[in-house]
Amino acid sequence: LFDPAEMRDVIHEWHADVATALAIIEDARRRNDPAEVARVAHRTAGGGLALGATSLAAVCEGLRERAESGAGVTAADIERVRRAAEATHRALADAAGLDGDA
């Protein structure tokens, strides 16, 4: 689908989008806005699914469900999403043969 330069750009853009989403989620958690946490987590799950990152999507959907349940989202919940996003980023870069270039 993409040449190596395009793939690198896609991976960079996706990674930046996830970093922004995590910042929004963290801010929404601090403001006690579970609806915003749920909305952004769901959008992030969809972005993960578009890349085939089903594990990341599942963690994001778990965060969405927790936010919607009223149970309260913790920093540890957000950290699970962050770790899944970083693992996804490494896997994408490795699969694209970017050797730390992504």
Side-chain angles (χ1 to χ4, degrees), residues 54-76:
T54 56
S55 294
L56 172 62
V59 172
C60 290
E61 282 301 309
L63 180 63
R64 178 195 57 79
E65 290 169 5
R66 185 162 178 86
E68 289 178 346
S69 76
V73 172
T74 68

Side-chain angles (χ1 to χ4, degrees), residues 16-59:
D17 287 348
V18 170
T20 298
L22 282 164
I24 292 168
I25 289 169
E26 288 172 340
D27 181 61
R29 178 186 160 273
R30 281 191 296 276
R31 291 182 291 104
N32 193 28
D33 186 351
E36 179 74 348
V37 171
R39 183 187 70 75
V40 177
H42 181 67
R43 184 174 50 92
T44 304
L49 285 176
L51 294 174
T54 56
S55 294
L56 172 62
V59 172

